[in-house]
Amino acid sequence: FTTAWSWFVGLIFGIFFRPKVYGREGLGDQGYILCPNHVSFLDGFLLFRAAPAVLRHHLFFMGYSKYFESPVVRSLVRMRVIPVNSARFLVDSMLAAAYVLRRGGVMSIFPEGSRSVTGKLMEFKKGVAILAKELDIKLVPVFIDGTYEAWPPAARFPRPHPTRVVFGRGFSAAELKEIGLTIKPEAQDYEAITLGLREEVLRLG
């Protein structure tokens, strides 16, 4: 399924969105979290397409459960997506992500928690910081560009537009905390890690 889906997504995105990818040669194939910005429904598919082929078989996503209420969509993505609802079952979703990571999988989590309606980077939630610190795993900042123009939240359908994905290097929770403390010296651990991660995503952009 993963191989077939990779081929299909690669074909569609290659024709309509002409993605350019930077930095993926530095990615490992297990045990970390990809942390991209989020402006469009296309982001998860583009990230999947941009990842190295060997990584796609270990890559899982966390996504807002409302998007998967359709039986067709749910059937297509259920092997790769952990549904999350900020109001209900959040702990279950975090435990599922931890299960994947402890067994060498790679998670992709949008730290903003939802799509930006303006295309600008929003504040980050602390979930990825909690996982990074408690599991002692690295966070990889990722910047996605062009998908807002291709399919902004207000549009009903996508349109062709060039895109790009920039992968940063992996950062430990301690490294990101140090960066975050330069922004807000009084920040506690999770907040400082979150601020540091957001700064690195901005820098890639």
Side-chain angles (χ1 to χ4, degrees), residues 76-166:
L76 284 173
V77 302
R78 65 182 176 181
M79 289 188 285
R80 290 289 168 200
V81 178
I82 298 171
V84 60
N85 186 319
S86 58
R88 300 174 59 203
F89 312 121
L90 178 59
V91 173
D92 289 345
S93 299
M94 294 285 282
L95 289 173
Y99 180 91
V100 169
L101 291 163
R102 286 195 182 105
R103 283 153 182 79
V106 176
M107 288 297 309
S108 175
I109 302 176
F110 297 108
E112 294 163 279
S114 61
R115 292 172 299 157
S116 170
V117 296
T118 64
K120 304 296 183 183
L121 196 66
M122 301 190 296
E123 297 303 314
F124 282 8
K125 310 294 185 184
K126 296 178 183 178
V128 290
I130 295 171
L131 288 169
K133 186 173 188 296
E134 300 307 321
L135 299 179
D136 190 26
I137 59 172
K138 291 190 175 183
L139 302 179
V140 177
V142 184
F143 188 80
I144 297 174
D145 186 37
T147 53
Y148 183 80
E149 291 78 10
W151 198 0
R156 294 187 62 185
F157 301 103
R159 56 179 177 262
H161 192 279
T163 57
R164 69 184 175 107
V165 180
V166 185

Coordinates of all heavy atoms in Angstrom, one line a residue, residues 76-166:
L76 N -8.4 5.2 3.5 CA -7.1 5.5 2.8 C -6.0 5.8 3.8 O -4.8 5.4 3.5 CB -7.3 6.7 1.8 CG -8.1 6.4 0.5 CD1 -8.3 7.7 -0.2 CD2 -7.3 5.4 -0.3
V77 N -6.3 6.5 4.9 CA -5.2 7.0 5.7 C -5.0 6.3 7.0 O -4.0 6.5 7.7 CB -5.3 8.5 6.0 CG1 -5.4 9.3 4.7 CG2 -6.5 8.8 6.8
R78 N -5.9 5.3 7.4 CA -5.9 4.8 8.7 C -4.6 4.0 9.1 O -4.3 3.9 10.2 CB -7.1 3.9 8.9 CG -7.1 2.6 8.1 CD -8.4 1.8 8.3 NE -8.5 0.7 7.5 CZ -9.5 -0.2 7.5 NH1 -10.5 0.0 8.3 NH2 -9.5 -1.2 6.7
M79 N -3.9 3.5 8.1 CA -2.7 2.8 8.4 C -1.5 3.7 8.6 O -0.4 3.3 9.1 CB -2.3 1.9 7.2 CG -3.2 0.7 7.1 SD -2.7 -0.5 5.8 CE -3.1 0.4 4.3
R80 N -1.7 5.0 8.3 CA -0.6 6.0 8.5 C -0.9 7.2 9.4 O 0.0 8.0 9.7 CB -0.2 6.5 7.1 CG 0.5 5.5 6.2 CD 1.9 5.2 6.7 NE 2.4 4.0 6.0 CZ 3.4 3.3 6.4 NH1 3.9 3.6 7.6 NH2 3.8 2.3 5.7
V81 N -2.2 7.3 9.8 CA -2.6 8.5 10.6 C -3.2 8.1 11.9 O -4.0 7.3 12.0 CB -3.6 9.4 9.8 CG1 -4.0 10.6 10.6 CG2 -2.9 9.8 8.5
I82 N -2.7 8.8 13.0 CA -3.3 8.7 14.3 C -4.2 9.9 14.5 O -3.8 11.0 14.5 CB -2.2 8.7 15.4 CG1 -1.2 7.5 15.2 CG2 -2.8 8.7 16.8 CD1 0.0 7.6 16.1
P83 N -5.5 9.6 14.5 CA -6.4 10.8 14.7 C -6.3 11.4 16.1 O -6.0 10.7 17.1 CB -7.8 10.1 14.6 CG -7.6 8.8 14.0 CD -6.2 8.4 14.4
V84 N -6.4 12.7 16.2 CA -6.2 13.4 17.4 C -7.4 14.4 17.6 O -7.7 15.1 16.6 CB -4.8 14.1 17.6 CG1 -4.6 15.1 16.5 CG2 -4.7 14.7 18.9
N85 N -7.9 14.5 18.7 CA -8.9 15.5 19.1 C -8.5 16.2 20.3 O -8.3 15.5 21.4 CB -10.3 14.8 19.3 CG -11.4 15.8 19.5 OD1 -11.3 16.8 20.1 ND2 -12.6 15.5 18.9
S86 N -8.3 17.5 20.2 CA -7.8 18.3 21.4 C -8.7 18.2 22.6 O -8.3 18.4 23.7 CB -7.5 19.7 21.0 OG -8.7 20.3 20.5
A87 N -10.0 17.9 22.4 CA -10.9 17.9 23.5 C -11.1 16.5 24.1 O -11.4 16.4 25.2 CB -12.3 18.5 23.0
R88 N -11.0 15.5 23.2 CA -11.3 14.1 23.7 C -10.2 13.2 23.2 O -9.6 13.4 22.1 CB -12.6 13.6 23.1 CG -13.8 14.4 23.5 CD -15.1 13.9 22.8 NE -15.3 12.5 23.0 CZ -16.0 11.7 22.3 NH1 -16.5 12.2 21.1 NH2 -16.3 10.5 22.6
F89 N -9.8 12.3 24.0 CA -8.9 11.2 23.7 C -7.5 11.7 23.3 O -6.7 11.0 22.6 CB -9.4 10.3 22.5 CG -10.8 9.9 22.7 CD1 -11.8 10.2 21.8 CD2 -11.2 9.1 23.8 CE1 -13.1 9.8 22.0 CE2 -12.5 8.7 24.0 CZ -13.5 9.1 23.1
L90 N -7.1 12.9 23.8 CA -5.8 13.4 23.5 C -4.7 12.6 24.1 O -3.7 12.3 23.4 CB -5.7 14.9 24.0 CG -4.3 15.6 23.8 CD1 -4.0 15.6 22.3 CD2 -4.3 17.0 24.4
V91 N -4.9 12.1 25.3 CA -3.9 11.2 25.9 C -3.7 10.0 25.1 O -2.6 9.5 24.9 CB -4.3 10.9 27.4 CG1 -3.3 9.9 28.0 CG2 -4.3 12.2 28.2
D92 N -4.8 9.4 24.6 CA -4.7 8.2 23.8 C -3.9 8.4 22.6 O -3.1 7.5 22.2 CB -6.1 7.7 23.4 CG -6.9 7.1 24.6 OD1 -6.2 6.8 25.7 OD2 -8.1 6.9 24.5
S93 N -4.1 9.6 21.9 CA -3.3 9.9 20.7 C -1.8 10.0 21.0 O -1.0 9.6 20.3 CB -3.9 11.2 20.1 OG -5.2 11.0 19.7
M94 N -1.5 10.7 22.2 CA -0.1 10.9 22.5 C 0.5 9.5 22.9 O 1.7 9.3 22.5 CB 0.0 11.8 23.8 CG -0.5 13.2 23.5 SD 0.7 14.2 22.6 CE 1.9 14.5 23.9
L95 N -0.2 8.6 23.5 CA 0.3 7.3 23.8 C 0.6 6.5 22.6 O 1.5 5.8 22.5 CB -0.7 6.6 24.8 CG -0.7 7.1 26.2 CD1 -1.8 6.4 26.9 CD2 0.6 6.9 26.9
A96 N -0.3 6.6 21.6 CA -0.2 6.0 20.3 C 1.1 6.5 19.6 O 1.9 5.7 19.0 CB -1.4 6.1 19.4
A97 N 1.3 7.8 19.6 CA 2.5 8.4 19.0 C 3.8 7.8 19.7 O 4.8 7.5 19.1 CB 2.4 9.9 19.1
A98 N 3.7 7.8 21.0 CA 4.8 7.3 21.8 C 5.1 5.8 21.5 O 6.3 5.4 21.4 CB 4.6 7.4 23.3
Y99 N 4.1 5.0 21.3 CA 4.2 3.6 20.9 C 5.0 3.5 19.6 O 5.9 2.7 19.4 CB 2.8 3.0 20.7 CG 2.8 1.5 20.3 CD1 2.8 0.5 21.3 CD2 2.8 1.2 19.0 CE1 2.8 -0.8 20.9 CE2 2.8 -0.1 18.6 CZ 2.8 -1.1 19.6 OH 2.8 -2.5 19.2
V100 N 4.6 4.3 18.6 CA 5.3 4.3 17.3 C 6.8 4.7 17.4 O 7.7 4.0 16.9 CB 4.6 5.3 16.3 CG1 5.5 5.5 15.0 CG2 3.2 4.8 15.9
L101 N 7.0 5.7 18.2 CA 8.4 6.3 18.3 C 9.3 5.3 19.1 O 10.5 5.1 18.7 CB 8.4 7.6 19.0 CG 7.7 8.7 18.2 CD1 7.4 9.9 19.1 CD2 8.7 9.2 17.1
R102 N 8.8 4.7 20.1 CA 9.6 3.7 20.9 C 10.0 2.5 20.1 O 10.9 1.8 20.4 CB 8.8 3.3 22.1 CG 8.7 4.3 23.2 CD 8.3 3.7 24.5 NE 8.2 4.7 25.6 CZ 7.0 5.1 26.0 NH1 5.9 4.7 25.5 NH2 6.9 6.0 27.0
R103 N 9.2 2.2 19.0 CA 9.5 1.1 18.2 C 10.2 1.4 16.9 O 10.2 0.7 15.9 CB 8.2 0.3 17.9 CG 7.8 -0.5 19.1 CD 6.3 -0.8 19.2 NE 6.0 -1.6 20.4 CZ 5.9 -1.0 21.6 NH1 6.1 0.3 21.8 NH2 5.7 -1.8 22.6
G104 N 10.8 2.6 16.9 CA 11.7 3.0 15.8 C 11.0 3.7 14.6 O 11.6 4.0 13.6
G105 N 9.7 4.0 14.8 CA 8.9 4.7 13.7 C 9.3 6.2 13.8 O 9.9 6.7 14.7
V106 N 8.8 6.9 12.7 CA 9.0 8.3 12.6 C 7.6 8.9 12.6 O 6.7 8.5 11.9 CB 9.8 8.7 11.4 CG1 9.8 10.2 11.3 CG2 11.2 8.1 11.4
M107 N 7.4 10.0 13.4 CA 6.1 10.7 13.5 C 6.2 12.0 12.8 O 7.3 12.6 12.8 CB 5.6 10.9 14.9 CG 5.2 9.7 15.7 SD 3.7 8.9 15.0 CE 2.5 10.3 14.8
S108 N 5.1 12.4 12.1 CA 5.0 13.8 11.6 C 3.9 14.4 12.4 O 2.7 13.9 12.3 CB 4.8 13.8 10.1 OG 4.6 15.2 9.7
I109 N 4.2 15.5 13.1 CA 3.2 16.2 13.9 C 3.2 17.7 13.6 O 4.3 18.3 13.6 CB 3.4 16.0 15.4 CG1 3.3 14.5 15.7 CG2 2.3 16.7 16.2 CD1 3.6 14.2 17.2
F110 N 2.1 18.3 13.2 CA 2.1 19.7 13.0 C 2.0 20.5 14.3 O 0.9 20.4 15.0 CB 0.9 20.1 12.1 CG 0.9 19.5 10.7 CD1 0.0 18.5 10.4 CD2 1.8 20.0 9.8 CE1 0.1 17.9 9.1 CE2 1.8 19.4 8.5 CZ 1.0 18.4 8.2
P111 N 3.0 21.1 14.8 CA 3.0 21.7 16.1 C 2.0 22.8 16.3 O 1.6 23.2 17.4 CB 4.5 22.3 16.3 CG 5.3 21.5 15.3 CD 4.3 21.3 14.1
E112 N 1.5 23.5 15.2 CA 0.5 24.5 15.3 C -0.8 23.9 15.7 O -1.7 24.7 16.2 CB 0.4 25.3 14.0 CG 1.7 26.1 13.6 CD 1.7 26.5 12.2 OE1 2.0 25.7 11.3 OE2 1.3 27.7 11.9
G113 N -1.0 22.7 15.4 CA -2.3 22.0 15.8 C -3.4 22.2 14.8 O -4.4 21.4 14.8
S114 N -3.3 23.1 13.9 CA -4.3 23.3 12.9 C -3.7 24.1 11.7 O -2.6 24.7 11.9 CB -5.6 24.0 13.4 OG -5.3 25.3 13.9
R115 N -4.5 24.3 10.6 CA -4.0 25.1 9.5 C -4.0 26.5 9.8 O -5.0 27.0 10.4 CB -4.8 24.8 8.3 CG -4.6 23.4 7.7 CD -5.6 23.2 6.5 NE -7.0 23.3 7.0 CZ -8.0 23.6 6.3 NH1 -7.9 23.8 5.0 NH2 -9.2 23.7 6.8
S116 N -3.0 27.2 9.4 CA -3.0 28.7 9.5 C -3.9 29.3 8.4 O -3.7 29.0 7.2 CB -1.6 29.3 9.4 OG -1.6 30.7 9.2
V117 N -4.9 30.1 8.8 CA -5.8 30.7 7.7 C -5.1 31.8 7.0 O -5.6 32.3 6.0 CB -7.1 31.1 8.4 CG1 -7.8 29.9 8.9 CG2 -6.9 32.1 9.5
T118 N -4.0 32.4 7.6 CA -3.4 33.5 6.9 C -2.1 33.1 6.2 O -1.6 33.9 5.4 CB -3.0 34.5 8.0 OG1 -2.0 33.9 8.9 CG2 -4.2 35.0 8.8
G119 N -1.6 31.9 6.4 CA -0.4 31.4 5.8 C 0.8 31.8 6.6 O 1.9 31.3 6.3
K120 N 0.6 32.5 7.7 CA 1.7 32.9 8.6 C 1.8 31.8 9.7 O 0.8 31.2 10.1 CB 1.5 34.2 9.2 CG 1.3 35.4 8.2 CD 2.5 35.6 7.4 CE 2.3 36.8 6.4 NZ 3.5 36.9 5.5
L121 N 3.0 31.7 10.2 CA 3.3 30.7 11.3 C 2.6 31.1 12.6 O 2.8 32.2 13.1 CB 4.8 30.5 11.5 CG 5.2 29.3 12.3 CD1 5.0 28.0 11.4 CD2 6.7 29.4 12.6
M122 N 1.8 30.2 13.1 CA 1.1 30.4 14.4 C 1.9 30.0 15.5 O 3.0 29.4 15.4 CB -0.3 29.7 14.4 CG -1.2 30.1 13.2 SD -2.9 29.4 13.4 CE -2.6 27.6 13.3
E123 N 1.4 30.2 16.7 CA 2.1 29.7 17.9 C 2.0 28.1 17.9 O 1.1 27.5 17.4 CB 1.4 30.2 19.2 CG 1.5 31.7 19.3 CD 3.0 32.2 19.3 OE1 3.8 31.6 20.0 OE2 3.3 33.2 18.6
F124 N 3.0 27.5 18.5 CA 3.1 26.0 18.6 C 2.5 25.5 19.9 O 2.6 26.1 20.9 CB 4.6 25.6 18.5 CG 5.1 25.6 17.1 CD1 4.5 26.2 16.1 CD2 6.4 25.1 16.9 CE1 5.0 26.2 14.8 CE2 6.9 25.1 15.6 CZ 6.3 25.7 14.6
K125 N 1.9 24.3 19.8 CA 1.4 23.6 21.0 C 2.6 22.9 21.6 O 3.6 22.7 21.0 CB 0.3 22.6 20.6 CG -0.8 23.2 19.8 CD -1.6 24.2 20.5 CE -2.8 24.7 19.7 NZ -3.6 25.7 20.3
K126 N 2.4 22.4 22.8 CA 3.5 21.8 23.6 C 3.6 20.3 23.4 O 4.6 19.7 24.0 CB 3.4 22.2 25.1 CG 3.5 23.7 25.4 CD 3.3 23.9 26.8 CE 3.3 25.4 27.1 NZ 3.1 25.7 28.6
G127 N 2.7 19.7 22.7 CA 2.7 18.2 22.6 C 4.0 17.6 22.1 O 4.5 16.6 22.7
V128 N 4.6 18.2 21.0 CA 5.9 17.6 20.5 C 7.0 17.8 21.5 O 7.9 17.0 21.6 CB 6.2 18.2 19.2 CG1 5.3 17.8 18.1 CG2 6.3 19.8 19.2
A129 N 7.0 18.9 22.3 CA 8.0 19.1 23.3 C 7.9 18.1 24.4 O 8.9 17.6 24.9 CB 7.8 20.5 23.9
I130 N 6.7 17.7 24.8 CA 6.5 16.7 25.8 C 7.1 15.4 25.3 O 7.8 14.7 26.0 CB 5.0 16.6 26.2 CG1 4.5 17.9 26.8 CG2 4.8 15.4 27.1 CD1 3.0 17.9 27.0
L131 N 6.7 15.0 24.1 CA 7.2 13.7 23.6 C 8.7 13.7 23.4 O 9.4 12.7 23.8 CB 6.6 13.5 22.2 CG 5.1 13.1 22.2 CD1 4.6 13.1 20.7 CD2 4.9 11.7 22.8
A132 N 9.3 14.8 23.0 CA 10.8 14.9 22.8 C 11.5 14.8 24.1 O 12.5 14.0 24.2 CB 11.1 16.2 22.1
K133 N 11.0 15.5 25.1 CA 11.7 15.4 26.4 C 11.5 14.1 27.1 O 12.5 13.5 27.7 CB 11.2 16.6 27.3 CG 12.0 16.7 28.6 CD 11.6 18.0 29.4 CE 12.5 18.2 30.6 NZ 12.4 17.2 31.6
E134 N 10.3 13.6 27.2 CA 10.0 12.4 27.9 C 10.5 11.1 27.3 O 10.9 10.2 27.9 CB 8.5 12.3 28.2 CG 7.9 13.4 28.9 CD 8.6 13.7 30.3 OE1 9.0 12.8 30.9 OE2 8.7 14.9 30.6
L135 N 10.6 11.1 25.9 CA 11.1 10.0 25.2 C 12.6 10.1 24.8 O 13.2 9.2 24.2 CB 10.3 9.7 24.0 CG 8.8 9.4 24.2 CD1 8.1 9.2 22.9 CD2 8.6 8.2 25.1
D136 N 13.1 11.3 25.0 CA 14.5 11.6 24.7 C 14.8 11.3 23.2 O 15.6 10.5 22.8 CB 15.5 10.7 25.5 CG 17.0 11.2 25.3 OD1 17.2 12.4 25.0 OD2 17.8 10.3 25.5
I137 N 13.9 12.0 22.3 CA 14.1 11.8 20.9 C 14.3 13.2 20.3 O 14.0 14.2 20.9 CB 12.8 11.2 20.3 CG1 11.6 12.0 20.6 CG2 12.7 9.7 20.7 CD1 10.4 11.5 19.9
K138 N 14.7 13.3 19.1 CA 15.0 14.5 18.4 C 13.7 15.0 17.6 O 12.9 14.3 17.2 CB 16.2 14.4 17.5 CG 17.5 14.2 18.2 CD 18.7 14.3 17.3 CE 20.0 14.2 18.1 NZ 21.2 14.4 17.3
L139 N 13.7 16.4 17.5 CA 12.7 17.0 16.7 C 13.3 17.6 15.4 O 14.4 18.2 15.6 CB 12.0 18.1 17.5 CG 11.3 17.7 18.8 CD1 10.7 19.0 19.5 CD2 10.2 16.7 18.5
V140 N 12.7 17.4 14.3 CA 13.3 17.9 13.0 C 12.4 19.0 12.5 O 11.2 18.7 12.1 CB 13.4 16.8 12.0 CG1 13.9 17.3 10.6 CG2 14.3 15.7 12.5
P141 N 12.8 20.2 12.5 CA 12.0 21.3 11.9 C 11.9 21.2 10.4 O 12.8 20.8 9.8 CB 12.7 22.6 12.3 CG 14.1 22.2 12.5 CD 14.1 20.7 13.0
V142 N 10.7 21.5 9.9 CA 10.4 21.4 8.5 C 9.6 22.6 8.0 O 8.7 23.0 8.7 CB 9.6 20.1 8.1 CG1 9.5 20.0 6.6 CG2 10.3 18.8 8.7
F143 N 10.0 23.2 6.9 CA 9.2 24.3 6.4 C 8.7 23.9 5.0 O 9.4 23.5 4.1 CB 10.1 25.6 6.2 CG 9.3 26.8 5.9 CD1 8.6 27.5 6.9 CD2 9.2 27.2 4.6 CE1 7.8 28.6 6.5 CE2 8.4 28.3 4.2 CZ 7.7 29.0 5.2
I144 N 7.3 24.1 4.9 CA 6.6 23.8 3.7 C 6.2 25.1 3.1 O 5.6 26.0 3.7 CB 5.4 22.9 3.9 CG1 5.9 21.5 4.5 CG2 4.6 22.7 2.7 CD1 4.7 20.6 4.9
D145 N 6.4 25.3 1.8 CA 6.1 26.6 1.1 C 5.4 26.3 -0.2 O 5.7 25.3 -0.9 CB 7.4 27.3 0.8 CG 7.2 28.7 0.2 OD1 6.3 29.4 0.7 OD2 8.0 29.1 -0.7
G146 N 4.4 27.1 -0.5 CA 3.7 27.0 -1.8 C 2.3 26.3 -1.7 O 1.5 26.5 -2.5
T147 N 2.1 25.6 -0.6 CA 0.8 24.9 -0.5 C -0.3 25.8 -0.2 O -1.5 25.5 -0.5 CB 0.9 23.7 0.5 OG1 1.4 24.2 1.8 CG2 1.8 22.6 0.0
Y148 N 0.0 26.9 0.5 CA -1.0 27.9 0.8 C -1.6 28.5 -0.5 O -2.8 28.7 -0.6 CB -0.5 29.0 1.7 CG -1.5 30.0 2.2 CD1 -2.4 29.7 3.2 CD2 -1.6 31.2 1.5 CE1 -3.3 30.7 3.6 CE2 -2.6 32.2 1.9 CZ -3.4 31.9 2.9 OH -4.4 32.8 3.3
E149 N -0.7 28.8 -1.4 CA -1.1 29.3 -2.7 C -1.8 28.3 -3.5 O -2.7 28.6 -4.3 CB 0.1 29.9 -3.5 CG 0.7 31.1 -2.9 CD 1.6 30.8 -1.7 OE1 1.9 29.6 -1.4 OE2 2.0 31.8 -1.0
A150 N -1.4 27.0 -3.4 CA -2.0 25.9 -4.1 C -3.4 25.6 -3.6 O -4.3 25.3 -4.4 CB -1.1 24.7 -4.1
W151 N -3.6 25.6 -2.3 CA -4.9 25.2 -1.7 C -5.0 25.9 -0.4 O -4.9 25.2 0.7 CB -5.0 23.7 -1.6 CG -6.5 23.3 -1.5 CD1 -7.6 24.1 -1.4 CD2 -7.0 21.9 -1.4 NE1 -8.7 23.3 -1.3 CE2 -8.4 22.0 -1.3 CE3 -6.3 20.7 -1.3 CZ2 -9.2 20.9 -1.1 CZ3 -7.1 19.6 -1.2 CH2 -8.5 19.7 -1.1
P152 N -5.4 27.2 -0.3 CA -5.6 27.9 1.0 C -6.8 27.3 1.7 O -7.7 26.8 1.0 CB -5.7 29.3 0.6 CG -6.2 29.3 -0.8 CD -5.5 28.1 -1.5
P153 N -7.0 27.5 3.0 CA -8.1 27.0 3.7 C -9.5 27.5 3.2 O -10.5 26.8 3.3 CB -7.9 27.6 5.1 CG -6.4 27.7 5.2 CD -5.9 28.1 3.9
A154 N -9.5 28.7 2.6 CA -10.8 29.3 2.1 C -11.2 28.7 0.7 O -12.3 28.9 0.3 CB -10.7 30.8 2.0
A155 N -10.3 28.0 0.0 CA -10.6 27.6 -1.3 C -11.2 26.2 -1.3 O -10.9 25.3 -0.4 CB -9.3 27.5 -2.2
R156 N -12.2 25.9 -2.2 CA -12.8 24.6 -2.3 C -12.0 23.6 -2.9 O -12.0 22.4 -2.6 CB -14.2 24.7 -3.0 CG -15.2 25.6 -2.3 CD -16.5 25.5 -3.0 NE -17.1 24.2 -3.0 CZ -18.2 23.8 -3.6 NH1 -18.9 24.7 -4.3 NH2 -18.7 22.6 -3.6
F157 N -11.1 24.0 -3.9 CA -10.4 23.1 -4.7 C -8.9 23.6 -4.8 O -8.7 24.8 -4.8 CB -11.0 22.8 -6.1 CG -12.4 22.3 -6.0 CD1 -13.4 23.2 -6.3 CD2 -12.6 21.0 -5.7 CE1 -14.7 22.7 -6.2 CE2 -13.9 20.5 -5.7 CZ -15.0 21.3 -6.0
P158 N -8.0 22.7 -5.0 CA -6.6 23.1 -5.2 C -6.4 23.6 -6.6 O -7.2 23.3 -7.5 CB -5.8 21.8 -5.0 CG -6.7 20.7 -5.3 CD -8.1 21.2 -4.9
R159 N -5.2 24.3 -6.8 CA -4.8 24.7 -8.2 C -3.3 24.5 -8.3 O -2.6 24.5 -7.3 CB -5.2 26.2 -8.4 CG -4.6 27.2 -7.3 CD -5.0 28.6 -7.6 NE -4.5 29.5 -6.6 CZ -5.2 30.0 -5.6 NH1 -6.5 29.6 -5.5 NH2 -4.7 30.8 -4.7
P160 N -2.8 24.3 -9.5 CA -1.4 24.1 -9.7 C -0.6 25.3 -9.2 O -0.9 26.4 -9.4 CB -1.3 24.0 -11.2 CG -2.6 23.6 -11.7 CD -3.6 24.3 -10.8
H161 N 0.5 24.9 -8.5 CA 1.4 26.0 -8.0 C 2.7 25.3 -7.5 O 2.7 24.2 -6.9 CB 0.8 26.7 -6.8 CG 1.6 28.0 -6.4 ND1 2.7 27.9 -5.6 CD2 1.4 29.3 -6.7 CE1 3.2 29.2 -5.5 NE2 2.4 30.0 -6.1
P162 N 3.9 25.8 -7.8 CA 5.1 25.2 -7.3 C 5.2 25.2 -5.8 O 4.7 26.1 -5.1 CB 6.2 26.1 -7.9 CG 5.6 26.9 -9.0 CD 4.1 27.0 -8.6
T163 N 5.8 24.1 -5.3 CA 6.0 24.0 -3.8 C 7.4 23.6 -3.5 O 8.2 23.2 -4.3 CB 5.0 22.9 -3.3 OG1 5.3 21.6 -4.0 CG2 3.6 23.3 -3.5
R164 N 7.7 23.7 -2.2 CA 9.0 23.3 -1.8 C 8.9 22.8 -0.3 O 8.1 23.3 0.4 CB 10.1 24.4 -1.9 CG 10.0 25.5 -1.0 CD 11.0 26.6 -1.3 NE 10.8 27.8 -0.5 CZ 11.6 28.1 0.6 NH1 12.6 27.4 0.9 NH2 11.3 29.2 1.3
V165 N 9.8 21.9 0.1 CA 9.9 21.4 1.4 C 11.4 21.5 1.8 O 12.3 21.0 1.1 CB 9.4 19.9 1.5 CG1 9.6 19.4 2.9 CG2 8.0 19.8 1.0
V166 N 11.6 22.1 3.0 CA 13.0 22.2 3.5 C 13.1 21.5 4.8 O 12.4 21.9 5.8 CB 13.4 23.7 3.7 CG1 14.8 23.8 4.1 CG2 13.1 24.5 2.4

